[in-house]
Structure formats: C-alpha cells, structure tokens
Amino acid sequence: MTLDFMVVSLPRSGSTWAANWLTTDAVHCSHDPLYSMHYSDFDSKLCANCCVNGIACTGIWRWADWLNRHPARKLVLRRDFNEIQKSLSDIGLPLLDADAEDA
C-alpha cells in the first residue's frame, strides 16, 4: 500500500489542524511522521488496510525528488513566510533558513 494523500507545509502553517480535521473513522492522517521515521518507511509503516491513509508534514518538502515522485495526491498549505518566522519566534523555536521560503 502507499499513502493516499500528503498535506505539505512549512511549520506553523496549519498542518496540525489539517491532520486533526482529516482524521476520521475512515481516514487516518499522521502529523509530522518524520519525527519518528524515515520518509522511505511512510508507505510500509503508516498505511492500514482499513482506511484512507495520509500525512500532514512540515519537513517532507526538503526531499522534493521523493515527494514529487510519490503517487499520493498532494495539498500544499501556504502561509506568509514572515508570519511563519514570527510565529516560530513567539513560541521560542528557531527560525527557518531563508531557503525554506522558496520551497
């Protein structure tokens, strides 16, 4: 099995909200699975036969070649980069590198 969908975003752009909103009795959306596994394991470890499977991930954009080749449907959540940086700063997290703005 492979993932059915991916929600891709930078941090502080609504990915947690999206994962919670999308998860139902028939759909499972894992939030930021890169914290616990390598992206090459997503399909084998995150897919259950009982439902539609997806991820909402704030880091997978860094592996654009893999992301673009993967057959899952993709939704990109966008937020103004300066708002992201301010939100990260407000909660004491490190700012993103400038290259993230072009992702």
Side-chain angles (χ1 to χ4, degrees), residues 11 21 29 31 35 37 42 56 61 66 69 79 82-83 102:
W21 177 67
C29 183
H31 183 252
Y35 283 115
M37 70 183 70
F42 286 0
W61 59 271
W66 180 88
R69 280 192 315 269
R79 183 178 183 190
N82 292 323
E83 289 179 12
D102 299 325

Side-chain angles (χ1 to χ4, degrees), residues 30-50:
S30 296
H31 183 252
D32 277 341
L34 282 173
Y35 283 115
S36 60
M37 70 183 70
H38 192 270
Y39 61 85
S40 63
D41 293 328
F42 286 0
D43 291 320
S44 63
K45 293 186 178 177
L46 295 176
C47 294
N49 290 330
C50 63

Side-chain angles (χ1 to χ4, degrees), residues 28 55 80 85 88:
H28 180 76
I55 62 168
D80 178 79
Q85 297 288 62
L88 288 167

